Amino acid sequence: HVNLNYLISKLNRDDIFWDVGANVGQISLFAGLVSEAYTYSFEVEPFTFSMLIDNINKNNLNSSITALPIGLGKQNNLQPIFIDNDPYTNSARNCLYEKNNFEDNLPKLIVMKGDEVLEKFSCKSPTFLKIDVDGPELEVLLGMKKILSNEKLKNIVVECILSGDAE
Protein backbone atom coordinates (compact mmCIF):
# COMPACT_ATOMS: atom_id res chain seq x y z
CA HIS A 1 0.00 0.00 0.00
CA VAL A 2 0.95 3.60 -0.47
CA ASN A 3 3.33 4.84 2.21
CA LEU A 4 1.30 7.02 4.59
CA ASN A 5 4.46 8.67 5.93
CA TYR A 6 5.19 10.00 2.45
CA LEU A 7 1.66 11.36 2.17
CA ILE A 8 1.93 12.99 5.61
CA SER A 9 5.09 14.78 4.53
CA LYS A 10 3.77 15.97 1.14
CA LEU A 11 -0.01 16.40 1.18
CA ASN A 12 -1.54 19.62 2.57
CA ARG A 13 -4.81 21.54 2.66
CA ASP A 14 -4.04 23.44 -0.55
CA ASP A 15 -3.76 20.23 -2.57
CA ILE A 16 -6.32 18.60 -4.84
CA PHE A 17 -5.81 14.88 -4.26
CA TRP A 18 -6.95 12.20 -6.72
CA ASP A 19 -7.13 8.75 -5.12
CA VAL A 20 -7.40 6.39 -8.10
CA GLY A 21 -8.25 2.90 -6.86
CA ALA A 22 -9.54 4.26 -3.56
CA ASN A 23 -10.85 0.91 -2.31
CA VAL A 24 -12.75 1.55 0.97
CA GLY A 25 -11.09 4.94 1.38
CA GLN A 26 -8.21 4.52 3.81
CA ILE A 27 -5.98 6.97 1.91
CA SER A 28 -8.88 9.29 0.99
CA LEU A 29 -10.00 9.49 4.61
CA PHE A 30 -6.45 10.28 5.68
CA ALA A 31 -6.29 13.05 3.08
CA GLY A 32 -9.58 14.52 4.31
CA LEU A 33 -9.04 14.15 8.05
CA VAL A 34 -5.32 14.84 8.47
CA SER A 35 -4.14 16.96 5.56
CA GLU A 36 -7.55 18.52 4.78
CA ALA A 37 -6.81 18.27 1.04
CA TYR A 38 -9.87 18.22 -1.21
CA THR A 39 -10.12 14.65 -2.52
CA TYR A 40 -11.61 12.84 -5.49
CA SER A 41 -11.89 9.11 -4.76
CA PHE A 42 -12.25 6.77 -7.75
CA GLU A 43 -13.47 3.21 -7.10
CA VAL A 44 -15.00 1.10 -9.87
CA GLU A 45 -16.09 -2.03 -7.95
CA PRO A 46 -19.69 -1.56 -6.70
CA PHE A 47 -19.49 -3.29 -3.30
CA THR A 48 -16.21 -1.58 -2.42
CA PHE A 49 -17.61 1.75 -3.62
CA SER A 50 -20.56 1.37 -1.22
CA MET A 51 -18.11 0.83 1.66
CA LEU A 52 -16.15 3.91 0.53
CA ILE A 53 -19.34 6.00 0.64
CA ASP A 54 -20.17 4.59 4.07
CA ASN A 55 -16.71 5.50 5.40
CA ILE A 56 -16.94 9.03 4.00
CA ASN A 57 -20.34 9.47 5.69
CA LYS A 58 -19.20 8.01 9.03
CA ASN A 59 -16.30 10.47 9.11
CA ASN A 60 -18.42 13.48 8.06
CA LEU A 61 -16.21 14.14 5.04
CA ASN A 62 -18.90 14.73 2.40
CA SER A 63 -17.79 18.33 1.97
CA SER A 64 -14.14 17.42 1.33
CA ILE A 65 -14.32 14.11 -0.59
CA THR A 66 -16.12 13.46 -3.86
CA ALA A 67 -16.45 9.73 -4.58
CA LEU A 68 -16.84 8.66 -8.20
CA PRO A 69 -17.97 5.10 -9.11
CA ILE A 70 -15.83 4.87 -12.23
CA GLY A 71 -12.52 3.39 -13.22
CA LEU A 72 -9.88 5.40 -15.03
CA GLY A 73 -8.23 4.10 -18.18
CA LYS A 74 -6.82 4.95 -21.59
CA GLN A 75 -10.23 5.20 -23.26
CA ASN A 76 -13.88 5.80 -22.40
CA ASN A 77 -15.84 2.56 -22.48
CA LEU A 78 -17.78 -0.09 -20.64
CA GLN A 79 -15.18 -2.52 -19.36
CA PRO A 80 -15.88 -6.13 -18.35
CA ILE A 81 -14.92 -6.88 -14.75
CA PHE A 82 -14.40 -10.16 -12.93
CA ILE A 83 -15.48 -9.97 -9.28
CA ASP A 84 -14.31 -12.59 -6.80
CA ASN A 85 -17.08 -14.48 -4.97
CA ASP A 86 -15.78 -13.32 -1.58
CA PRO A 87 -16.98 -9.69 -1.21
CA TYR A 88 -14.94 -9.18 1.98
CA THR A 89 -11.44 -9.75 0.65
CA ASN A 90 -9.51 -6.53 0.61
CA SER A 91 -7.06 -6.56 -2.28
CA ALA A 92 -6.98 -7.61 -5.90
CA ARG A 93 -10.48 -9.04 -5.67
CA ASN A 94 -11.51 -7.72 -9.03
CA CYS A 95 -9.84 -7.39 -12.36
CA LEU A 96 -10.71 -5.32 -15.42
CA TYR A 97 -10.18 -7.29 -18.61
CA GLU A 98 -9.08 -6.02 -22.02
CA LYS A 99 -10.16 -9.13 -23.99
CA ASN A 100 -10.70 -12.73 -22.99
CA ASN A 101 -12.99 -15.72 -23.43
CA PHE A 102 -15.20 -14.73 -20.47
CA GLU A 103 -15.92 -11.16 -21.55
CA ASP A 104 -19.51 -11.74 -22.72
CA ASN A 105 -20.54 -13.22 -19.36
CA LEU A 106 -19.05 -10.49 -17.15
CA PRO A 107 -20.74 -7.34 -15.84
CA LYS A 108 -19.49 -4.12 -17.40
CA LEU A 109 -18.48 -1.01 -15.51
CA ILE A 110 -17.74 2.57 -16.59
CA VAL A 111 -14.12 3.41 -17.38
CA MET A 112 -13.09 6.91 -18.48
CA LYS A 113 -9.95 8.83 -19.34
CA GLY A 114 -8.87 11.01 -16.42
CA ASP A 115 -8.69 13.96 -18.82
CA GLU A 116 -12.36 13.39 -19.74
CA VAL A 117 -13.37 13.29 -16.06
CA LEU A 118 -11.98 16.83 -15.70
CA GLU A 119 -14.23 18.07 -18.48
CA LYS A 120 -17.39 16.00 -18.00
CA PHE A 121 -17.66 16.34 -14.22
CA SER A 122 -15.95 19.73 -13.71
CA CYS A 123 -13.41 18.16 -11.36
CA LYS A 124 -10.34 20.12 -10.36
CA SER A 125 -7.05 18.90 -11.76
CA PRO A 126 -4.95 17.11 -9.15
CA THR A 127 -1.86 18.54 -7.53
CA PHE A 128 -1.27 15.12 -5.96
CA LEU A 129 -2.12 11.85 -7.70
CA LYS A 130 -2.19 8.35 -6.17
CA ILE A 131 -2.79 5.31 -8.38
CA ASP A 132 -3.32 1.85 -6.90
CA VAL A 133 -5.29 -0.20 -9.42
CA ASP A 134 -3.76 -3.68 -9.25
CA GLY A 135 -2.49 -3.95 -12.79
CA PRO A 136 -3.67 -1.37 -15.35
CA GLU A 137 -1.51 1.51 -14.03
CA LEU A 138 -0.15 2.33 -17.49
CA GLU A 139 -3.67 2.49 -18.95
CA VAL A 140 -4.68 4.95 -16.22
CA LEU A 141 -1.66 7.15 -16.97
CA LEU A 142 -2.28 7.02 -20.75
CA GLY A 143 -5.72 8.56 -20.17
CA MET A 144 -4.20 11.48 -18.24
CA LYS A 145 -2.10 13.33 -20.82
CA LYS A 146 -3.50 16.77 -19.92
CA ILE A 147 -3.37 16.06 -16.20
CA LEU A 148 0.23 14.84 -16.35
CA SER A 149 1.34 17.89 -18.34
CA ASN A 150 -0.27 20.34 -15.89
CA GLU A 151 2.43 22.25 -14.03
CA LYS A 152 0.28 22.24 -10.87
CA LEU A 153 0.72 18.46 -10.53
CA LYS A 154 3.44 18.17 -7.86
CA ASN A 155 3.38 14.52 -6.78
CA ILE A 156 2.52 11.19 -8.35
CA VAL A 157 2.52 7.96 -6.36
CA VAL A 158 1.89 4.73 -8.29
CA GLU A 159 1.74 1.30 -6.69
CA CYS A 160 2.80 -1.22 -9.31
CA ILE A 161 2.48 -4.97 -9.41
CA LEU A 162 5.46 -6.56 -11.11
CA SER A 163 5.13 -9.98 -12.65
CA GLY A 164 7.27 -12.27 -14.75
CA ASP A 165 5.13 -11.34 -17.74
CA ALA A 166 5.91 -7.60 -17.51
CA GLU A 167 7.26 -6.08 -20.69
Side-chain angles (χ1 to χ4, degrees):
H1 292 287
V2 172
N3 185 326
L4 284 177
N5 289 330
Y6 180 78
L7 290 176
I8 290 169
S9 70
K10 300 292 183 185
L11 197 59
N12 64 61
R13 73 174 44 206
D14 297 325
D15 282 313
I16 302 298
F17 179 55
W18 278 31
D19 186 358
V20 181
N23 200 283
V24 299
Q26 177 187 12
I27 304 296
S28 293
L29 296 173
F30 162 80
L33 289 168
V34 177
S35 73
E36 300 179 6
Y38 192 85
T39 301
Y40 293 94
S41 301
F42 297 87
E43 179 53 52
V44 70
E45 198 280 318
F47 183 79
T48 306
F49 182 78
S50 70
M51 291 189 294
L52 169 64
I53 293 296
D54 191 45
N55 287 333
I56 292 168
N57 289 334
K58 285 179 182 174
N59 288 279
N60 297 314
L61 290 171
N62 292 303
S63 63
S64 61
I65 299 176
T66 296
L68 297 159
I70 60 175
L72 298 185
K74 64 183 176 182
Q75 58 189 5
N76 299 334
N77 63 11
L78 293 176
Q79 193 85 15
I81 186 169
F82 169 78
I83 301 174
D84 191 345
N85 289 331
D86 182 1
Y88 299 101
T89 55
N90 199 14
S91 70
R93 71 180 218 84
N94 63 66
C95 181
L96 291 173
Y97 284 92
E98 290 287 329
K99 274 280 191 202
N100 65 43
N101 297 333
F102 309 107
E103 188 172 315
D104 292 338
N105 298 323
L106 295 174
K108 293 177 177 56
L109 301 174
I110 298 169
V111 176
M112 293 181 69
K113 293 179 183 179
D115 290 339
E116 295 285 327
V117 170
L118 284 176
E119 296 171 19
K120 302 274 188 234
F121 300 114
S122 301
C123 295
K124 294 180 182 176
S125 193
T127 58
F128 198 116
L129 175 62
K130 183 228 78 172
I131 301 171
D132 181 358
V133 292
D134 297 331
E137 294 83 7
L138 180 58
E139 287 83 1
V140 171
L141 291 167
L142 289 172
M144 295 184 160
K145 292 178 181 172
K146 290 178 189 173
I147 291 169
L148 295 173
S149 65
N150 188 331
E151 64 186 33
K152 292 181 180 180
L153 181 61
K154 301 181 291 186
N155 289 285
I156 304 171
V157 176
V158 180
E159 180 175 303
C160 296
I161 296 176
L162 301 176
S163 72
D165 297 332
E167 295 179 16

